[in-house]
Structures are given as C-alpha cells and as structure tokens.
Amino acid sequence: MCGIVGIITNANSFDIEKTVNHMMNAIRHRGPDGSGSVMLENSQIGLGHVRLSVIDLSESALQPMVSVSKRYTIVYNGELYNYRELKKELREMGHRFKTRSDTEVVMESFAEWGTDCLDRFNGMFAFSIWDSWDKRLFMARDRYGIKPIYYMIINDTFVFASEQKALLQYPGFQPEINPAILKEYFTFQNILSNDMLLQGIKILPAGCYIYSDMRQIAEAVPVSYWDYHFSESKTICTEAEYKEELQYLFRKSVKRQLVSDVPVGSYLSGGMDSGSIAAIASKQIKNLKSFTCGFDLHSASGIEMACDEREKAEQMSYEFGTEHYEVVLKAGDMERCMKELVWAIEEPRVGQSYPNYYVAKLASKFVKVVLSGAGGDELFGGYPWRYYRSVNNQNFDEYIDKYYAFWQRLVPDEIQRQLFCPLGEDVIKLDEREIFKAVFKNIDRKKISPEECVNHSLYFEAKTFLHGLLVVEDKLSMAHGLETRVPFLDNELVDFAMKLPVHMKLSRLDEVIRINENEPGHKINKYYQRTKDGKRLLRSAMEGIIPSEIIKAEKQGFVPPDNAWFRGESIRYIKDIVSDNNALMYNYLDKYCVQKIINEHISGQKNWRLFVWSVLVFNQWCESFLKTSARV
C-alpha cells in the first residue's frame, strides 16, 4: 500500500521535478518505508511514489517501476489478491518478471490485455501507467473504490495523486470552495458527485479508468469498466445451497486477503461482520491481533448506552484466541483529534469518523495490515429500516421521492434557502433531488416491484454510502501508515451477493408492505419492530463460526454517544466555534441559521447531532484547506 503522484504537461512554466517532490512530501505518511520518482519525455512527465512495504519488501520492487520492454512505467497503490494466478498465466504467454511484487503483474497485465486487464483484477488499487510509445497516461481505480485517486486538469496539465493535499502543491493553485458540492454535502452528509469540495479537483469514480494523451490533455474523460448490478437471480437454489456457497466464498475471500509479507491483524468491533472475518482469520494466523474501539458511557443515557460493544468484542476475542487491544474514547477526544482528523480525510463525508481514526492509530502500533468488515451491510442488506421506507411504489419517481426524503440526512429542503443564502441564488436553485436521481442512471427504471426497489436501494448505497466509508477508511488508516483490507469486497463474493434473492437478505418484506400508512396510533413503533431483520443468509452462514448471540443481535452502528456529549462535555467546544462571528464557515453558511439549529439541539428541542458534527468538520476544513498553510 502506498501513495502515488504524477504530472503530464505541455506547459513549461514550472519546475516539474520540484513539484513532484513537494507532492510526494505531502503524502509521505502513506509510504514511510521509502520513495522514488522519475522524470520522462524531457521532463514533461513526472511520476512519484511513496512506499508502504507489504508484499516483496526487497528493493527490486521499488517504484516507479519500468517494464522489461522499457515501454511502460507504473506507479501503483493497492493489493492484487490474485496476482500469483495472473503471473503464472502471463509467464506461460512469454512475459518475463524481475520481482515478486504484484506491481509488476499489474503492469504486464496491462501490456498484454490493455484495459481488459481490469476485468481480471481481484483486489483494491489505484494506479497509473505511462506508455512511452503512445505518449499517453493510463489511470484506473478498482471496482468498488477502495483506493481513491484524485486529479485535476489545469493550464494544459494533468495532475493526479492518492490524496488531494498533494494536488495543492501545484504552483499557482488557489484553493477555493465548490459551492455546489457544499450544498450537496449538507443535503446528504456525503458527496455523490465526482467533483470535490475544493474547486477544480475530481475523484476518479470507482470502476473507471481514464487516458490522458500528451497531445490532448484537456480531453481526458473517465470511462466506466464495471458497475454494481443487484438483481433477482433466474437460477433457483435452496437456502441450504445458498448458505453453503456463501460459506465457501467467504472463507476463500478472507484467506485470499491474508497474503502479506508483514503482520496482519483484524478489527473486532463486536458486530457480526468484523467478528466473522476475525473468526476465519484466527484459524490461519496464530494469536491474531484484534482491535476494538469502545466508549466511556458515564454521561450517556437511553439508546446510547448500547454504543459500547467492548464486551461483545472481548467475548469473541476469547473464543477466537486473538491477542486483543482496545482504545476507549471519552468526551473530549473528538476535539483533541479534530485538526488531524480533517487534514487526513480531506473532505467531509458520511458520519462521525473520529472513532475510526483512533482505532486505526491503535492498530498501526502492532500491524501494517488490518482486516475490516466494511461492505457486509451494503451487500447483504444490513440496513432494512432504510430499504423498507420505499418498497411499495406506483412508479420510479415515487420510489425516488421516498428514498430521497430519507437521504436528506442533514438539512431538509425547507431550510436550505436560508442556510445557503451566502452562496447565491444559482446554488440555492440547484436541484439535489436530480443529483440524487442521477446516481440511478444505469438502473432499469421500469422495475418497481418491492424486491427490485430493495435492489435499487442496495445499488445506491453501494455507489454512495459505502464509497464514502471506503474513502474515509483509506485516509484514516493511511494517515497512520496502515493498510486496510476488506474481505467482503472480493469479486466472487460481490458477484454472489448481487444475484442473491432479496428474500435471502430480508425476512419481513411482505409484512412491512402491509403496514397501512394511514393507520392511526403507534405506526412508527410498529414499523421499527418489523424492520429489525437484515442479512438473513449471512447470519445463517455464520452459525457455528461466531457466537449465536452476536448473530441474533440487532444492527449496531459504530458511533459514539455524541448526542449526550454534544449537550454535555463538548458543549463549550461547540459553542465557542458556532458563536465566533469570524468563523470561516460563515462565508458560506448563514450564521443565524446555523446558530438556531445548534441551539435547538443543545436545548433538546430536536436531535441535530449529524448537523452538529458536520458543522464542526466543515469549519475545521475551511481552516485547514482554504489557507496557504496547506502547502508543504
């Protein structure tokens, strides 16, 4: 796992070698084990690499790496879990290799199959290859977006890097906010578009590649080579057959992702997904190191008393025989890490991510590679209360209306005009519903049965929510020189999950449909009582592998008791930021609207905890990225 940077330019107005070195220094945390760079084509091409050594620790695997033919030069970030099989196939076709690394396999695969090589890769990656014959740069990202890669086209120059902070090193780049993306974030608590909050920077979408031709740099456009396709399988299997196949594929995936020349550990949150991975991994690695983040609950109450899952994690650690480590967060730990956290994640996305920051920091003290349970919920239906909101529809637009209403996580439409008034009328008029709807561009909109609507929702969440989680996880782990692997996102396992019938994921679809929307009384209570299922087949497949009480437990998110902390121990920190009339966020958000919302939360009138977190993160983001101090 590493960090990569690069420049292809027709301009002669800056020192490309010096810029590449500055870019590498900006992401040195991603590769503390070494670095290298190369200038090509009379210094019109510059490639750089910082290395976290995981496979083939020898100097022969250093990057940038040049092919045996001398035609290709690669910078690569990722792990290819089937590289040994591909290497064998390529050798039989006449390819020669000088290293044991998967980097060289990626390069030779591209040399043999071109863009079709991407269909053969099972792993996580973001890489770029310079073709000295065709004079163009090829860049690609893995199917699911586990490894991010950012780029911008500026002054007849194509610049790319594993993290945005490296792009800030481009001479003359002035960091400015993208107001449309700010509105998008404060609608969804996520970024659904490919543009970033920093104006001019884009992320290469998951499952896409892009060519940058030296003769037509400005014409570079992403091309999709893979997408999710959740559908009802035409093959009829028994539940026992599905269960057996899932167990086989899951074990195979975990074992496949244990390949490493450095120590591997596992997160163990107390939930089923990480527990299942740790159970299998512990059979392969004696005294597997496992890591949990817990929360001090002295000031918590109500449902937040369930936030701390250390007891469940400790139980599984005992049963699996892992060497277990814990970090316990208390009120105040959020404030202490906020500056470093925001600098690491680079863009506000999804939920409260500071617990992930601390547990990654803990794991990095003991291992270089850690396994994560990300993807289990999104593939196997772990959020039934989301899907059930929009399963009964007359047409596709009705489905969009219902699901969009749920995903307005931060600011509903009726407040947006006031909140975003500093951004101007053009931004206020932007239709977030259309941005939401655009995510479904590859969906057959004629399919509106309850099962198909669930599959639409799974598609949306894999494309957006899971993608946001993966981007954040990459940044937070690599901030500590740690590689995170996600066994649920194995190609064979994902293919299986996408074709799995909805009734193998959710057990109460028919009951929920029968709830009368006009029924008086405690309809909401009845609704939630009927949505406490999900991951039906996965739970069944894990019987005998993890404790039954873990399998039967309701879904518990990895979140701190922040509702209580925001009204208690952290209240002074929040008030100091929000009451500061010179806070940078008030250049973009209406001060009185923000203060009104925060006061409603603190006084207990309404639970705005997600908005509170997002305001804190955004204000720190302004401090970190809209000032010249962002440059090395």
Side-chain angles (χ1 to χ4, degrees), residues 584-602:
L584 288 180
M585 65 177 169
Y586 291 141
N587 291 328
Y588 314 101
L589 302 177
D590 181 75
K591 175 177 62 177
Y592 301 104
C593 186
V594 170
Q595 291 175 348
K596 179 177 180 293
I597 292 173
I598 299 297
N599 287 333
E600 285 181 354
H601 180 84
I602 292 175

Side-chain angles (χ1 to χ4, degrees), residues 79 87 92 94 114 122 140 158 215 254 260 299 328 338 399 416 425 436 461 472 529 535 542 555 560 570 576 607:
E79 302 293 352
K87 188 173 186 177
E92 292 172 351
N122 191 352
F158 184 91
R215 293 153 292 196
V254 175
S260 173
S299 60
V328 181
M338 184 63 77
Y399 162 77
Q416 290 195 3
E425 193 65 23
F436 181 89
E461 298 200 13
V472 169
Q529 287 171 4
K535 298 197 285 194
M542 292 304 111
K555 168 66 181 174
S570 297
D576 285 347
N607 187 347

Side-chain angles (χ1 to χ4, degrees), residues 4-8 14-28 36-39 43 45-50 64 159-160 166 169-171:
I4 63 175
V5 305
I7 298 175
I8 169 173
F14 66 100
D15 187 332
I16 187 172
E17 184 172 8
K18 181 179 179 181
T19 302
V20 166
N21 286 331
H22 282 323
M23 293 171 69
M24 291 164 57
N25 287 335
I27 59 170
R28 186 72 59 180
S37 62
V38 64
M39 300 297 120
S43 293
I45 309 296
L47 301 175
H49 180 266
V50 292
V159 191
F160 71 87
Q169 312 311 313
Y170 180 83

Side-chain angles (χ1 to χ4, degrees), residues 36 38 57 66 69 93 138 172 338 358 370 377 383 422 429 483 495 511 527 535 540 577 582:
V38 64
L57 311 185
V66 181
S69 69
M93 299 173 75
F138 175 76
M338 184 63 77
Y358 280 109
V370 67
D377 288 313
Y383 304 106
K429 288 181 178 179
E483 174 184 306
D495 289 344
E511 290 184 28
Y527 169 82
K535 298 197 285 194
S540 176
I577 291 174
N582 295 317

Side-chain angles (χ1 to χ4, degrees), residues 363-568:
S364 69
K365 298 180 184 298
F366 299 93
V367 296
K368 270 194 174 183
V369 178
V370 67
L371 305 178
S372 164
D377 288 313
E378 290 77 14
L379 291 174
F380 291 95
Y383 304 106
W385 60 91
R386 296 179 186 171
Y387 324 133
Y388 287 151
R389 292 171 181 267
S390 51
V391 295
N392 198 10
N393 305 286
Q394 297 300 313
N395 53 56
F396 186 74
D397 276 329
E398 183 181 349
Y399 162 77
I400 290 294
D401 286 340
K402 291 178 181 178
Y403 211 44
Y404 170 68
F406 172 76
W407 279 102
Q408 287 182 283
R409 290 167 66 87
L410 293 186
V411 183
D413 286 342
E414 58 267 24
I415 299 178
Q416 290 195 3
R417 172 166 288 278
Q418 181 184 356
L419 180 66
F420 299 123
C421 65
L423 300 179
E425 193 65 23
D426 289 343
V427 174
I428 291 173
K429 288 181 178 179
L430 289 174
D431 190 343
E432 302 306 313
R433 182 186 179 279
E434 288 304 309
I435 293 173
F436 181 89
K437 188 177 179 180
V439 175
F440 299 87
K441 62 183 179 181
N442 293 330
I443 292 294
D444 185 347
R445 301 185 179 190
K446 295 179 181 179
K447 295 183 176 181
I448 57 169
S449 71
E451 290 77 13
E452 288 157 344
C453 286
V454 170
N455 280 325
H456 294 342
S457 298
L458 292 171
Y459 175 86
F460 174 84
E461 298 200 13
K463 293 281 285 187
T464 61
F465 185 69
L466 175 60
H467 177 255
L469 293 174
L470 294 172
V471 169
V472 169
E473 181 58 41
D474 169 83
K475 304 287 186 60
L476 296 183
S477 59
M478 294 305 293
H480 298 103
L482 178 71
E483 174 184 306
T484 300
R485 297 180 179 179
V486 279
F488 277 106
L489 297 182
D490 172 88
N491 288 0
E492 292 182 76
L493 191 56
V494 172
D495 289 344
F496 170 83
M498 290 192 299
K499 295 177 182 177
L500 192 64
V502 168
H503 74 269
M504 288 284 99
K505 299 176 181 179
L506 310 175
S507 60
R508 297 173 180 169
L509 190 57
D510 291 338
E511 290 184 28
V512 173
I513 292 172
R514 287 197 295 270
I515 292 179
N516 183 355
E517 292 296 328
N518 296 313
E519 180 182 338
H522 300 289
K523 182 180 66 176
I524 296 298
N525 291 338
K526 182 183 292 187
Y527 169 82
Y528 279 108
Q529 287 171 4
R530 294 186 181 184
T531 58
K532 292 179 179 178
D533 62 341
K535 298 197 285 194
R536 179 172 169 243
L537 183 69
L538 185 61
R539 293 176 190 271
S540 176
M542 292 304 111
E543 291 174 354
I545 297 176
I546 61 176
S548 60
E549 55 267 37
I550 303 297
I551 293 174
K552 296 175 182 178
E554 296 176 14
K555 168 66 181 174
Q556 171 67 47
F558 181 38
V559 293
D562 47 20
N563 188 33
W565 289 354
F566 288 171
R567 291 184 175 128

Side-chain angles (χ1 to χ4, degrees), residues 233-405:
S233 176
K234 296 180 180 179
T235 303
I236 300 176
C237 298
T238 65
E239 183 171 343
E241 290 172 326
Y242 281 126
K243 179 179 177 179
E244 182 180 3
E245 181 69 4
L246 176 53
Q247 288 176 332
Y248 167 74
L249 292 175
F250 183 73
R251 292 178 187 273
K252 184 178 180 182
S253 173
V254 175
K255 292 177 182 178
R256 179 182 280 154
Q257 296 200 18
L258 291 177
V259 57
S260 173
D261 293 331
V262 295
V264 179
S266 180
Y267 289 137
L268 190 56
S269 68
M272 185 174 71
D273 296 341
S274 62
S276 301
I277 291 169
I280 302 301
S282 65
K283 302 295 184 184
Q284 307 297 314
I285 300 176
K286 186 178 181 180
N287 297 323
L288 175 77
K289 293 179 175 63
S290 58
F291 309 96
T292 292
C293 179
F295 305 103
D296 175 65
L297 301 178
H298 281 94
S299 60
S301 62
I303 61 173
E304 289 192 320
M305 292 300 293
C307 288
D308 187 39
E309 293 191 288
R310 278 179 292 161
E311 186 176 346
K312 296 177 183 177
E314 290 163 0
Q315 175 191 356
M316 286 192 283
S317 172
Y318 172 77
E319 296 204 16
F320 306 154
T322 70
E323 185 179 312
H324 195 59
Y325 299 90
E326 297 177 345
V327 58
V328 181
L329 302 187
K330 55 187 178 299
D333 285 326
M334 175 188 70
E335 297 93 302
R336 278 183 276 275
C337 78
M338 184 63 77
K339 186 176 181 179
E340 290 78 13
L341 172 76
V342 172
W343 182 243
I345 63 176
E346 299 190 310
E347 71 230 8
R349 282 185 184 265
V350 293
Q352 291 84 322
S353 51
Y354 69 90
N356 306 70
Y357 176 88
Y358 280 109
V359 75
K361 183 178 182 179
L362 171 67
S364 69
K365 298 180 184 298
F366 299 93
V367 296
K368 270 194 174 183
V369 178
V370 67
L371 305 178
S372 164
D377 288 313
E378 290 77 14
L379 291 174
F380 291 95
Y383 304 106
W385 60 91
R386 296 179 186 171
Y387 324 133
Y388 287 151
R389 292 171 181 267
S390 51
V391 295
N392 198 10
N393 305 286
Q394 297 300 313
N395 53 56
F396 186 74
D397 276 329
E398 183 181 349
Y399 162 77
I400 290 294
D401 286 340
K402 291 178 181 178
Y403 211 44
Y404 170 68

